[in-house]
Amino acid sequence: AVVSTQSTGEREKALKDMTTLCTVCGLSKDNLTSNGISWASHVDRDHNMWSYITFFFYLQEHTGKFSAVENEVLQKFNKADPSFLPNGRCIAIDTKLDLENTL
């Protein structure tokens, strides 16, 4: 049997976070939608956590040469350094801000 050490409140918060915070960048659903970005598109396409997981498996299993980016990500991943992840950022918001700043 699996014994959970989480309280009901902790489980509810975790479930809420999974449906309102991007697992990859940590941006909230409200933040994204207020910037005109579809939550579903963001978590399904832009920051699909399964794509990241697949990429990490590829890096672990690949035996050939890596690109410079792959090599850097693998080194950071092996050191448990998450700085390669887009923490608090996404390209859709960055692009929108860039466009606004050029007008």
Side-chain angles (χ1 to χ4, degrees):
V2 176
V3 178
S4 175
T5 58
Q6 285 186 322
S7 69
T8 301
E10 289 171 324
R11 279 192 300 272
E12 287 173 2
K13 182 183 179 329
L15 287 172
K16 182 180 181 210
D17 286 351
M18 285 191 293
T19 58
T20 61
L21 293 175
C22 175
T23 305
V24 175
C25 70
L27 291 173
S28 71
K29 181 178 185 178
D30 290 342
N31 184 339
L32 291 163
T33 55
S34 70
N35 279 287
I37 299 161
S38 161
W39 171 253
S41 174
H42 179 78
V43 297
D44 289 341
R45 255 195 342 232
D46 300 339
H47 287 166
N48 183 308
M49 74 172 176
W50 297 111
S51 294
Y52 278 79
I53 292 168
T54 300
F55 180 59
F56 298 143
F57 273 111
Y58 160 78
L59 293 175
Q60 294 291 317
E61 300 296 321
H62 186 68
T63 56
K65 287 190 143 231
F66 288 117
S67 71
V69 171
E70 291 169 334
N71 195 40
E72 182 177 350
V73 170
L74 180 60
Q75 288 178 9
K76 289 182 179 190
F77 181 77
N78 287 336
K79 293 177 186 174
D81 173 359
S83 65
F84 61 87
L85 292 170
N87 187 18
R89 298 181 64 203
C90 76
I91 198 160
I93 290 178
D94 289 351
T95 301
K96 180 182 178 199
L97 292 174
D98 287 345
L99 288 173
E100 290 172 357
N101 288 334
T102 59
L103 297 177

